Amino acid sequence: MNRTASIDSLRQALHAGRAAAVAQAAAQQLAATPDDIDLLEIAALAAEACGDPARAERCLRHLVTVAPDALWARDDLAHFLLRHGRDDEAEAVARDTIAIAPDGPAAHAFVGQRMIQREALVEGAWHLRVARRHLPAAQAAQLAPALGRALLRLGEPQDAAALAREALAAAPGALDAAILATEAAEQSGDAPAAEAAFAHAERIAAAAGRDVALLDARVLAIGGRWREALAQLDRLPDDAGGAALLLRGRLRDRAGRHEAAWRDLVAGKARLARPYDRDAVDRRFAQQRTWPAVLPAAPPRGDVAQPVFIMGMPRSGTTLLEQILSAHPDIRAGGELPFVAQLRGFAHGLLGTDLPLPVSVARLRIADRHHLPALFRDFYLARARQYGLDGGARFFTDKMPLNEVDAPLIRLAFPDAPLLLMRRHPLDTLVSMMAHDMTHGANCAYRLEDAAHHLAGVSDLVVDYRERLGIAPLVVRYEDLVTDAAAQVARVMAAIGLPPHPAQRDFHRQSRHAPTPSHAQVREPLHARSVERWRAHAASLAPVVPVVAAALERGGHTV
């Protein structure tokens, strides 16, 4: 039997389920020709089918070694590792593949989806776009929902909707694409389009035996039919999923059923909970109090757009302030940018020490380290360029919640950047944090006591920075912003160095979508309906009032 016939025979036997016999035959033939690519592939498949993943991996890795340009072999190794729960190793293989074959679509698709899972949405979307450019149309359409979902979370619902249409044109029965079309219309605030898209998704889901009741309720809620949505959710059991309970809690609160609403919010958060390491948070906050008072800072750069930092707890009004500011033609909305957190790691690497950053940063006082803050600045601006924020406006906003914790690092890189700190009644902030799923603040938002602990700790840090380091952000009270917007916007724009613009009065008419839980609110004119929401839950909040007492006093708030 010639080689081709032998290989074909082994493949047929493998497909027929005779994996053990194939593994034995492949092993015998590999003894004579250990670098045979086809035999190595067959041996790997047979070994995995026989429950011998170690041998399968050895064959795949040897295959990659003897055929380094065979992209399919690298793809096989990556997917093998993924199947066996070794996600990071699989991604490393895919990254190596991109390094030697920049146009390899499978590797780009793999890395892109992994990045999106880690919330690196811009980078993940970039890889998926590369993959789609190098795939046939039918295969490119299969990646459209994943790319569309990333773009939706980046605040680009129109592009997400276009990708959903592309995917549905290629596969009309694709439920993920139909759901994406519905969510894109929902987040755009287009109730008729959302209802039409949902009708299609519902038909597909019914045929597949999938439950889309939560999506139905969300669509009804944006169309002004929130009472119908609540009636649907009221039929859910109390052990329903976390997202459904949070939505029901928000709607019950709107209906004035506050006690039942709070039960839903607490239960929903418990279903979704991620661990909050209070001891680790306290250690980090304690380390942040050791920042030196006098350090060299980066000189300004006038050749690119500059950041405006909007700081504050989640749900404190940062999205609202960003939406108002970005209505100005000289300010572009950046959203929740991860650059400051990334800058921490970059700075730590440059300083070359195992000490905490606030301690090791004292090395900047040494003459041959004076230039490092300029590298901090340029790292941040390089990331902004990758996100497309370096041109088209004089400023861009960075509204990542809780950036105030890293205010000393920000000041090293941008000593003159506007720092704007949103401050809202702490109890209103806590109620809103409990009503939404979010991971900001080391997962502090899943239990009321953790959220209060984090809020109090951050408030104390802000005071320490002001008194000891002279870092004094401009404080904007949410309650003042919604009741006297003109005066507050004038203060903020003066801090930025720009005159107010008439378009900022009609910020809610912007076509921009804010990809946060506040996206619906910031499409409305200013209102004070969310002020003192906490009073309806005063009894449930009573245990944490002593925890946030100092923060209440600092903000001029009362209980």
Side-chain angles (χ1 to χ4, degrees):
M1 182 182 296
N2 63 34
R3 178 185 176 282
T4 301
S6 176
I7 293 295
D8 288 344
S9 176
L10 288 174
R11 290 191 190 280
Q12 291 170 9
L14 188 60
H15 291 162
R18 300 197 298 273
V22 171
Q24 183 177 5
Q28 291 172 350
Q29 295 185 41
L30 281 170
T33 55
D35 294 342
D36 187 295
I37 294 173
D38 293 317
L39 281 175
L40 285 167
E41 180 195 16
I42 291 169
L45 293 171
E48 188 172 11
C50 290
D52 189 355
R55 174 164 175 73
E57 182 178 352
R58 287 196 300 272
C59 290
L60 287 172
R61 291 195 181 277
H62 186 56
L63 175 53
V64 169
T65 300
V66 299
D69 296 330
L71 300 189
W72 61 267
R74 293 175 175 274
D75 294 340
D76 284 355
L77 176 58
H79 284 94
F80 168 85
L81 294 168
L82 189 64
R83 287 194 299 274
H84 290 272
R86 296 160 64 183
D87 298 18
D88 291 343
E89 293 176 70
E91 183 177 343
V93 171
R95 285 174 175 267
D96 288 344
T97 302
I98 293 171
I100 66 167
D103 296 337
H108 278 289
F110 187 96
V111 171
Q113 293 181 83
R114 283 276 292 164
M115 285 184 161
I116 289 168
Q117 291 170 3
R118 291 199 301 272
E119 304 293 322
L121 302 176
V122 170
E123 296 86 349
W126 183 88
H127 281 285
L128 291 183
R129 287 189 174 108
V130 173
R132 278 166 49 82
R133 284 200 299 271
H134 296 284
L135 285 170
Q139 291 177 271
Q142 294 175 7
L143 291 177
L147 176 58
R149 195 157 299 285
L151 296 182
L152 191 62
R153 292 166 63 192
L154 286 168
E156 301 176 29
Q158 290 78 21
D159 290 343
L163 287 161
R165 289 192 294 271
E166 176 190 333
L168 287 169
L175 182 57
D176 58 345
I179 289 175
L180 174 63
T182 306
E183 292 177 336
E186 174 206 0
Q187 291 200 22
S188 296
D190 188 342
E195 291 179 10
F198 175 75
H200 183 56
E202 188 175 34
R203 288 192 293 271
I204 299 172
R210 294 275 299 275
D211 181 9
V212 288
L214 177 58
L215 183 60
D216 187 17
R218 284 165 46 190
V219 170
L220 290 173
I222 67 151
R225 299 163 62 188
W226 66 271
R227 293 186 184 279
E228 293 178 55
L230 179 54
Q232 283 193 14
L233 294 171
D234 273 337
R235 294 193 287 270
L236 292 177
D238 287 340
D239 61 352
L245 289 175
L246 290 185
L247 178 56
R248 188 171 74 177
R250 293 194 297 270
L251 294 179
R252 281 178 168 176
D253 205 37
R254 185 172 179 179
R257 297 160 55 188
H258 303 302
E259 186 175 344
W262 190 258
R263 286 198 303 271
D264 277 344
L265 300 184
V266 172
K269 281 304 187 76
R271 303 277 191 283
L272 298 167
R274 302 184 187 191
Y276 175 70
D277 190 337
R278 182 175 293 205
D279 290 340
V281 168
D282 288 346
R283 284 195 299 272
R284 185 180 176 217
F285 286 179
Q287 290 170 358
Q288 290 295 107
R289 292 174 179 272
T290 64
W291 272 86
V294 180
L295 291 171
R301 273 183 58 183
D303 59 323
V304 292
Q306 297 296 303
V308 174
F309 294 93
I310 302 175
M311 304 169 166
M313 289 293 293
R315 309 301 298 165
S316 63
T318 55
T319 301
L320 173 61
L321 182 57
E322 179 183 59
Q323 199 77 348
I324 293 172
L325 295 186
S326 63
H328 195 290
D330 285 331
I331 303 176
R332 182 172 180 179
E336 295 182 355
L337 301 175
F339 306 159
V340 172
Q342 294 167 355
L343 177 58
R344 276 202 309 271
F346 179 76
H348 203 278
L350 284 181
L351 290 165
T353 172
D354 293 332
L355 296 172
L357 182 60
V359 177
S360 62
V361 79
R363 294 185 175 200
L364 294 175
R365 293 170 173 154
I366 303 170
D368 61 0
R369 293 290 185 271
H370 282 184
H371 66 290
L372 293 185
L375 298 184
F376 300 170
R377 176 204 64 200
D378 290 345
F379 172 87
Y380 182 101
L381 293 175
R383 300 293 289 128
R385 181 176 185 181
Q386 187 176 17
Y387 275 52
L389 298 170
D390 59 328
R394 291 175 56 189
F395 296 94
F396 63 89
T397 56
D398 180 339
K399 63 162 286 286
M400 179 62 78
L402 298 167
N403 263 349
E404 59 267 37
V405 173
D406 286 304
L409 178 59
I410 291 171
R411 270 290 172 250
L412 285 180
F414 298 101
D416 300 321
L419 306 183
L420 312 174
L421 178 64
M422 284 300 303
R423 186 174 281 165
R424 183 183 182 188
H425 194 299
L427 299 184
D428 275 337
T429 301
L430 294 175
V431 169
S432 195
M433 288 176 68
M434 287 297 293
H436 296 88
D437 186 17
M438 59 187 67
T439 59
H440 299 304
N443 303 323
C444 71
Y446 292 100
R447 297 195 313 158
L448 177 64
E449 53 267 43
D450 292 337
H453 177 81
H454 209 84
L455 186 152
V458 173
S459 179
D460 290 346
L461 267 186
V462 169
V463 172
D464 177 74
Y465 295 160
R466 184 185 297 269
E467 294 178 350
R468 196 171 54 83
L469 306 180
I471 300 174
L474 177 70
V475 174
V476 182
R477 294 175 83 253
Y478 173 84
E479 295 80 8
D480 295 338
L481 182 61
V482 298
T483 55
D484 189 3
Q488 296 307 310
V489 171
R491 290 178 64 233
V492 170
M493 296 307 295
I496 296 172
L498 293 173
H501 192 276
Q504 292 177 300
R505 293 194 296 268
D506 296 319
F507 70 93
H508 57 286
R509 301 187 189 280
Q510 286 189 83
S511 59
R512 174 185 177 261
H513 170 74
T516 73
S518 304
H519 64 82
Q521 294 95 312
V522 296
R523 286 197 295 263
E524 301 175 343
L526 282 173
H527 60 77
R529 293 195 302 271
S530 295
V531 174
E532 296 200 336
R533 282 184 60 200
W534 68 269
R535 292 191 180 279
H537 305 287
S540 299
L541 294 165
V544 301
V545 169
V547 178
V548 298
L552 281 162
E553 183 178 357
R554 289 167 189 148
H557 299 109
T558 58
V559 177

PDB file of all heavy atoms in Angstrom, residues 425-428 477 479 532 534-535 545 549 551-559:
ATOM      1  N   HIS A 425     -24.865  61.936  46.440  1.00  0.00           N
ATOM      2  CA  HIS A 425     -25.231  61.460  47.768  1.00  0.00           C
ATOM      3  C   HIS A 425     -24.820  59.990  47.874  1.00  0.00           C
ATOM      4  O   HIS A 425     -25.224  59.157  47.068  1.00  0.00           O
ATOM      5  CB  HIS A 425     -26.737  61.594  47.973  1.00  0.00           C
ATOM      6  CG  HIS A 425     -27.167  61.448  49.400  1.00  0.00           C
ATOM      7  ND1 HIS A 425     -26.950  60.301  50.133  1.00  0.00           N
ATOM      8  CD2 HIS A 425     -27.811  62.311  50.249  1.00  0.00           C
ATOM      9  CE1 HIS A 425     -27.447  60.452  51.345  1.00  0.00           C
ATOM     10  NE2 HIS A 425     -27.953  61.667  51.451  1.00  0.00           N
ATOM     11  N   PRO A 426     -23.986  59.648  48.861  1.00  0.00           N
ATOM     12  CA  PRO A 426     -23.497  58.272  48.945  1.00  0.00           C
ATOM     13  C   PRO A 426     -24.596  57.218  48.979  1.00  0.00           C
ATOM     14  O   PRO A 426     -24.431  56.140  48.396  1.00  0.00           O
ATOM     15  CB  PRO A 426     -22.682  58.272  50.242  1.00  0.00           C
ATOM     16  CG  PRO A 426     -22.187  59.678  50.361  1.00  0.00           C
ATOM     17  CD  PRO A 426     -23.326  60.534  49.851  1.00  0.00           C
ATOM     18  N   LEU A 427     -25.707  57.497  49.630  1.00  0.00           N
ATOM     19  CA  LEU A 427     -26.759  56.487  49.697  1.00  0.00           C
ATOM     20  C   LEU A 427     -27.460  56.330  48.355  1.00  0.00           C
ATOM     21  O   LEU A 427     -27.844  55.210  47.978  1.00  0.00           O
ATOM     22  CB  LEU A 427     -27.752  56.831  50.807  1.00  0.00           C
ATOM     23  CG  LEU A 427     -27.155  56.896  52.218  1.00  0.00           C
ATOM     24  CD1 LEU A 427     -28.237  57.144  53.253  1.00  0.00           C
ATOM     25  CD2 LEU A 427     -26.394  55.602  52.544  1.00  0.00           C
ATOM     26  N   ASP A 428     -27.639  57.415  47.608  1.00  0.00           N
ATOM     27  CA  ASP A 428     -28.168  57.292  46.246  1.00  0.00           C
ATOM     28  C   ASP A 428     -27.207  56.493  45.369  1.00  0.00           C
ATOM     29  O   ASP A 428     -27.623  55.670  44.545  1.00  0.00           O
ATOM     30  CB  ASP A 428     -28.396  58.676  45.630  1.00  0.00           C
ATOM     31  CG  ASP A 428     -29.743  59.275  45.994  1.00  0.00           C
ATOM     32  OD1 ASP A 428     -30.664  58.510  46.335  1.00  0.00           O
ATOM     33  OD2 ASP A 428     -29.871  60.509  45.930  1.00  0.00           O
ATOM     34  N   ARG A 477     -21.001  68.280  42.271  1.00  0.00           N
ATOM     35  CA  ARG A 477     -22.064  67.543  42.948  1.00  0.00           C
ATOM     36  C   ARG A 477     -23.165  67.203  41.951  1.00  0.00           C
ATOM     37  O   ARG A 477     -23.653  68.064  41.226  1.00  0.00           O
ATOM     38  CB  ARG A 477     -22.643  68.347  44.112  1.00  0.00           C
ATOM     39  CG  ARG A 477     -21.662  68.583  45.250  1.00  0.00           C
ATOM     40  CD  ARG A 477     -22.244  69.491  46.307  1.00  0.00           C
ATOM     41  NE  ARG A 477     -23.082  68.801  47.272  1.00  0.00           N
ATOM     42  CZ  ARG A 477     -24.401  68.880  47.343  1.00  0.00           C
ATOM     43  NH1 ARG A 477     -25.082  69.609  46.474  1.00  0.00           N
ATOM     44  NH2 ARG A 477     -25.072  68.224  48.276  1.00  0.00           N
ATOM     45  N   GLU A 479     -26.222  66.517  42.468  1.00  0.00           N
ATOM     46  CA  GLU A 479     -27.472  67.216  42.767  1.00  0.00           C
ATOM     47  C   GLU A 479     -27.448  68.635  42.222  1.00  0.00           C
ATOM     48  O   GLU A 479     -28.480  69.154  41.758  1.00  0.00           O
ATOM     49  CB  GLU A 479     -27.711  67.226  44.283  1.00  0.00           C
ATOM     50  CG  GLU A 479     -27.940  65.848  44.891  1.00  0.00           C
ATOM     51  CD  GLU A 479     -26.657  65.052  45.132  1.00  0.00           C
ATOM     52  OE1 GLU A 479     -25.547  65.618  44.969  1.00  0.00           O
ATOM     53  OE2 GLU A 479     -26.762  63.863  45.496  1.00  0.00           O
ATOM     54  N   GLU A 532     -32.353  61.646  45.881  1.00  0.00           N
ATOM     55  CA  GLU A 532     -32.980  61.126  47.101  1.00  0.00           C
ATOM     56  C   GLU A 532     -33.816  59.876  46.859  1.00  0.00           C
ATOM     57  O   GLU A 532     -34.792  59.610  47.576  1.00  0.00           O
ATOM     58  CB  GLU A 532     -33.807  62.207  47.799  1.00  0.00           C
ATOM     59  CG  GLU A 532     -32.955  63.373  48.283  1.00  0.00           C
ATOM     60  CD  GLU A 532     -33.630  64.187  49.363  1.00  0.00           C
ATOM     61  OE1 GLU A 532     -34.865  64.168  49.445  1.00  0.00           O
ATOM     62  OE2 GLU A 532     -32.895  64.827  50.128  1.00  0.00           O
ATOM     63  N   TRP A 534     -32.742  57.166  47.651  1.00  0.00           N
ATOM     64  CA  TRP A 534     -32.364  56.334  48.786  1.00  0.00           C
ATOM     65  C   TRP A 534     -33.416  56.323  49.884  1.00  0.00           C
ATOM     66  O   TRP A 534     -33.501  55.344  50.655  1.00  0.00           O
ATOM     67  CB  TRP A 534     -31.018  56.799  49.362  1.00  0.00           C
ATOM     68  CG  TRP A 534     -31.072  58.155  50.030  1.00  0.00           C
ATOM     69  CD1 TRP A 534     -30.845  59.358  49.461  1.00  0.00           C
ATOM     70  CD2 TRP A 534     -31.371  58.414  51.403  1.00  0.00           C
ATOM     71  NE1 TRP A 534     -30.975  60.372  50.373  1.00  0.00           N
ATOM     72  CE2 TRP A 534     -31.308  59.813  51.578  1.00  0.00           C
ATOM     73  CE3 TRP A 534     -31.698  57.613  52.496  1.00  0.00           C
ATOM     74  CZ2 TRP A 534     -31.551  60.416  52.804  1.00  0.00           C
ATOM     75  CZ3 TRP A 534     -31.940  58.206  53.714  1.00  0.00           C
ATOM     76  CH2 TRP A 534     -31.868  59.596  53.871  1.00  0.00           C
ATOM     77  N   ARG A 535     -34.218  57.382  49.973  1.00  0.00           N
ATOM     78  CA  ARG A 535     -35.173  57.475  51.080  1.00  0.00           C
ATOM     79  C   ARG A 535     -36.174  56.325  51.063  1.00  0.00           C
ATOM     80  O   ARG A 535     -36.657  55.898  52.123  1.00  0.00           O
ATOM     81  CB  ARG A 535     -35.885  58.823  51.058  1.00  0.00           C
ATOM     82  CG  ARG A 535     -34.957  59.992  51.378  1.00  0.00           C
ATOM     83  CD  ARG A 535     -35.691  61.290  51.618  1.00  0.00           C
ATOM     84  NE  ARG A 535     -34.756  62.370  51.916  1.00  0.00           N
ATOM     85  CZ  ARG A 535     -34.203  62.579  53.116  1.00  0.00           C
ATOM     86  NH1 ARG A 535     -34.485  61.771  54.130  1.00  0.00           N
ATOM     87  NH2 ARG A 535     -33.358  63.584  53.303  1.00  0.00           N
ATOM     88  N   VAL A 545     -24.960  53.380  57.010  1.00  0.00           N
ATOM     89  CA  VAL A 545     -24.850  54.829  57.183  1.00  0.00           C
ATOM     90  C   VAL A 545     -23.620  55.200  58.010  1.00  0.00           C
ATOM     91  O   VAL A 545     -22.878  56.127  57.638  1.00  0.00           O
ATOM     92  CB  VAL A 545     -26.140  55.411  57.802  1.00  0.00           C
ATOM     93  CG1 VAL A 545     -25.947  56.866  58.228  1.00  0.00           C
ATOM     94  CG2 VAL A 545     -27.298  55.316  56.804  1.00  0.00           C
ATOM     95  N   ALA A 549     -20.450  57.764  56.809  1.00  0.00           N
ATOM     96  CA  ALA A 549     -20.771  59.026  57.487  1.00  0.00           C
ATOM     97  C   ALA A 549     -19.814  60.143  57.083  1.00  0.00           C
ATOM     98  O   ALA A 549     -20.242  61.283  56.820  1.00  0.00           O
ATOM     99  CB  ALA A 549     -20.754  58.825  59.002  1.00  0.00           C
ATOM    100  N   ALA A 551     -18.052  60.423  54.323  1.00  0.00           N
ATOM    101  CA  ALA A 551     -18.301  60.791  52.932  1.00  0.00           C
ATOM    102  C   ALA A 551     -19.566  61.639  52.811  1.00  0.00           C
ATOM    103  O   ALA A 551     -19.611  62.584  52.012  1.00  0.00           O
ATOM    104  CB  ALA A 551     -18.429  59.535  52.072  1.00  0.00           C
ATOM    105  N   LEU A 552     -20.582  61.329  53.607  1.00  0.00           N
ATOM    106  CA  LEU A 552     -21.797  62.151  53.618  1.00  0.00           C
ATOM    107  C   LEU A 552     -21.462  63.583  54.015  1.00  0.00           C
ATOM    108  O   LEU A 552     -21.885  64.549  53.370  1.00  0.00           O
ATOM    109  CB  LEU A 552     -22.808  61.559  54.605  1.00  0.00           C
ATOM    110  CG  LEU A 552     -23.606  60.350  54.141  1.00  0.00           C
ATOM    111  CD1 LEU A 552     -24.210  59.620  55.329  1.00  0.00           C
ATOM    112  CD2 LEU A 552     -24.717  60.786  53.184  1.00  0.00           C
ATOM    113  N   GLU A 553     -20.685  63.728  55.068  1.00  0.00           N
ATOM    114  CA  GLU A 553     -20.350  65.065  55.557  1.00  0.00           C
ATOM    115  C   GLU A 553     -19.522  65.843  54.537  1.00  0.00           C
ATOM    116  O   GLU A 553     -19.752  67.036  54.306  1.00  0.00           O
ATOM    117  CB  GLU A 553     -19.592  64.944  56.878  1.00  0.00           C
ATOM    118  CG  GLU A 553     -19.254  66.293  57.503  1.00  0.00           C
ATOM    119  CD  GLU A 553     -18.538  66.141  58.842  1.00  0.00           C
ATOM    120  OE1 GLU A 553     -18.372  64.996  59.294  1.00  0.00           O
ATOM    121  OE2 GLU A 553     -18.143  67.187  59.412  1.00  0.00           O
ATOM    122  N   ARG A 554     -18.550  65.158  53.908  1.00  0.00           N
ATOM    123  CA  ARG A 554     -17.693  65.845  52.938  1.00  0.00           C
ATOM    124  C   ARG A 554     -18.488  66.372  51.745  1.00  0.00           C
ATOM    125  O   ARG A 554     -18.141  67.399  51.166  1.00  0.00           O
ATOM    126  CB  ARG A 554     -16.611  64.889  52.445  1.00  0.00           C
ATOM    127  CG  ARG A 554     -15.563  64.577  53.479  1.00  0.00           C
ATOM    128  CD  ARG A 554     -14.695  63.401  53.060  1.00  0.00           C
ATOM    129  NE  ARG A 554     -13.830  62.986  54.163  1.00  0.00           N
ATOM    130  CZ  ARG A 554     -13.439  61.737  54.361  1.00  0.00           C
ATOM    131  NH1 ARG A 554     -13.806  60.771  53.527  1.00  0.00           N
ATOM    132  NH2 ARG A 554     -12.662  61.451  55.395  1.00  0.00           N
ATOM    133  N   GLY A 555     -19.525  65.658  51.377  1.00  0.00           N
ATOM    134  CA  GLY A 555     -20.323  66.086  50.239  1.00  0.00           C
ATOM    135  C   GLY A 555     -21.439  67.046  50.603  1.00  0.00           C
ATOM    136  O   GLY A 555     -22.194  67.472  49.719  1.00  0.00           O
ATOM    137  N   GLY A 556     -21.560  67.365  51.867  1.00  0.00           N
ATOM    138  CA  GLY A 556     -22.640  68.245  52.292  1.00  0.00           C
ATOM    139  C   GLY A 556     -23.996  67.572  52.231  1.00  0.00           C
ATOM    140  O   GLY A 556     -25.023  68.237  52.076  1.00  0.00           O
ATOM    141  N   HIS A 557     -24.026  66.237  52.378  1.00  0.00           N
ATOM    142  CA  HIS A 557     -25.272  65.490  52.314  1.00  0.00           C
ATOM    143  C   HIS A 557     -25.734  65.121  53.717  1.00  0.00           C
ATOM    144  O   HIS A 557     -24.930  65.011  54.643  1.00  0.00           O
ATOM    145  CB  HIS A 557     -25.082  64.214  51.488  1.00  0.00           C
ATOM    146  CG  HIS A 557     -24.681  64.476  50.063  1.00  0.00           C
ATOM    147  ND1 HIS A 557     -23.415  64.204  49.574  1.00  0.00           N
ATOM    148  CD2 HIS A 557     -25.381  65.000  49.027  1.00  0.00           C
ATOM    149  CE1 HIS A 557     -23.356  64.536  48.289  1.00  0.00           C
ATOM    150  NE2 HIS A 557     -24.526  65.026  47.939  1.00  0.00           N
ATOM    151  N   THR A 558     -27.012  64.912  53.837  1.00  0.00           N
ATOM    152  CA  THR A 558     -27.585  64.569  55.138  1.00  0.00           C
ATOM    153  C   THR A 558     -28.436  63.311  55.006  1.00  0.00           C
ATOM    154  O   THR A 558     -28.798  62.883  53.921  1.00  0.00           O
ATOM    155  CB  THR A 558     -28.465  65.713  55.670  1.00  0.00           C
ATOM    156  OG1 THR A 558     -29.509  65.989  54.713  1.00  0.00           O
ATOM    157  CG2 THR A 558     -27.645  66.968  55.902  1.00  0.00           C
ATOM    158  N   VAL A 559     -28.752  62.747  56.161  1.00  0.00           N
ATOM    159  CA  VAL A 559     -29.610  61.561  56.221  1.00  0.00           C
ATOM    160  C   VAL A 559     -30.854  61.910  57.023  1.00  0.00           C
ATOM    161  O   VAL A 559     -30.759  62.523  58.076  1.00  0.00           O
ATOM    162  CB  VAL A 559     -28.867  60.378  56.888  1.00  0.00           C
ATOM    163  CG1 VAL A 559     -29.780  59.180  57.011  1.00  0.00           C
ATOM    164  CG2 VAL A 559     -27.617  60.031  56.106  1.00  0.00           C
TER     165      VAL A 559
END
